[in-house]
Amino acid sequence: MTNLINPPENRFMEAIRQGETQLGLWLALTSNIAAEVIGAVGFDWLVLDAEHAPNELTTLIPQLQALRGSMSEPVVRATWNDPVLIKRFMDIGFRTILFPYVQDEHEAEAAVAAMRYPPEGVRGVATMHRSCSYGAEAGYIQSANARACALVQVETASAAERIEQICDVENLGGVFIGPSDLAASMDHLGDPGHKDVQGMMKYLCDVCKSKGVPIGTLAPVTADAKRYLEWGYTFVALGAEVALMRAAAISKLAELKGA
């Protein structure tokens, strides 16, 4: 008798829809051991970065296996808004995907469609992959669309000009603001704390809130994270595991160096 698995809900997606604060962390080391360690800490969501970290499908799968049973939602930041690549991310087990450099509502629509089976999208159908426990999960095809959460990165001034139209995209899971790239596009490279950049981030938050669309960002500095949460940002990543490891190592060495 086949052991049928009940489809797990996407708790992260439901939480941000309800306006519940979700705190996350970036995973950039491409390490399943690091993922396993951080997966037991208690973050609500963890980003496995395939844009700026050297992750491939073969490095992502062990990390997903390490996070199996974790309360943290695994999120992959895609290399690009490519439906073929997105299909493969979905098939290995992701149901929340962060799309970089989305410039307008048409690119946001393409991102949403890449994650969903027809007639709502263009995701290709397979029946023997990790996401459906290789055929053991009952009703996967019927329930997959309802668990698919597309997060689009608004990280340029030109994309910010289209924020209202982006927010109107059907089935969009949320908007993510990339402070560093936004700052660069506003001629403030390396200075996301500039008042003009911060003003834009507040404006984008206000628009998303008025549209009922969850908004998130990355904030390694605690004071920034607190400010964004006060503004109404719902899902905030508090840094990256590689940065935390380096900071802890520097601090430990400094405790005794020269003593």
Side-chain angles (χ1 to χ4, degrees), residues 170-205:
E170 187 176 2
N171 293 320
L172 182 68
V175 168
F176 183 91
I177 308 304
S180 294
D181 283 303
L182 180 62
S185 78
M186 296 175 67
D187 294 325
H188 299 298
L189 179 64
D191 188 14
H194 190 280
K195 62 180 181 61
D196 292 345
V197 180
Q198 290 297 299
M200 178 63 78
M201 291 185 67
K202 177 65 165 61
Y203 163 73
L204 293 169
C205 182

Side-chain angles (χ1 to χ4, degrees), residues 38-234:
I38 300 298
V41 170
F43 285 98
D44 299 300
W45 57 297
L46 297 171
V47 177
L48 281 61
D49 192 4
E51 183 192 15
H52 286 294
N55 265 311
E56 306 294 342
L57 291 176
T58 50
T59 61
L60 290 167
I61 290 174
Q63 292 173 80
L64 283 172
Q65 291 170 330
L67 290 172
R68 193 179 185 101
S70 170
M71 294 298 290
S72 304
E73 173 71 12
V75 180
V76 62
R77 179 161 68 169
T79 311
W80 195 243
N81 191 354
D82 177 351
V84 175
L85 182 61
I86 300 307
K87 172 176 60 180
R88 301 186 76 191
F89 285 148
M90 296 292 289
D91 284 353
I92 66 171
F94 289 103
R95 66 264 184 91
T96 303
I97 297 179
L98 181 58
F99 292 81
Y101 205 76
V102 170
Q103 293 295 94
D104 56 37
E105 65 273 22
H106 305 297
E107 293 184 5
E109 289 169 354
V112 171
M115 293 186 67
R116 306 174 84 89
Y117 289 129
E120 297 175 18
V122 297
R123 180 184 173 189
V125 180
T127 58
M128 230 7 120
H129 50 69
R130 187 175 182 276
S131 204
C132 66
S133 296
Y134 304 99
E137 185 175 313
Y140 173 82
I141 291 178
Q142 290 74 25
S143 63
N145 284 4
R147 290 180 274 166
C149 182
L151 308 173
V152 297
Q153 284 191 215
V154 171
E155 49 188 341
T156 65
S158 57
E161 293 176 358
R162 305 296 299 174
I163 187 61
E164 292 193 24
Q165 292 83 355
I166 290 171
C167 284
D168 287 338
V169 170
E170 187 176 2
N171 293 320
L172 182 68
V175 168
F176 183 91
I177 308 304
S180 294
D181 283 303
L182 180 62
S185 78
M186 296 175 67
D187 294 325
H188 299 298
L189 179 64
D191 188 14
H194 190 280
K195 62 180 181 61
D196 292 345
V197 180
Q198 290 297 299
M200 178 63 78
M201 291 185 67
K202 177 65 165 61
Y203 163 73
L204 293 169
C205 182
D206 290 343
V207 172
C208 287
K209 285 169 62 178
S210 71
K211 292 281 191 176
V213 174
I215 182 170
T217 191
L218 173 64
V221 178
T222 300
D224 291 341
K226 290 180 177 179
R227 182 172 65 257
Y228 299 147
L229 290 169
E230 289 173 359
W231 287 351
Y233 279 75
T234 307

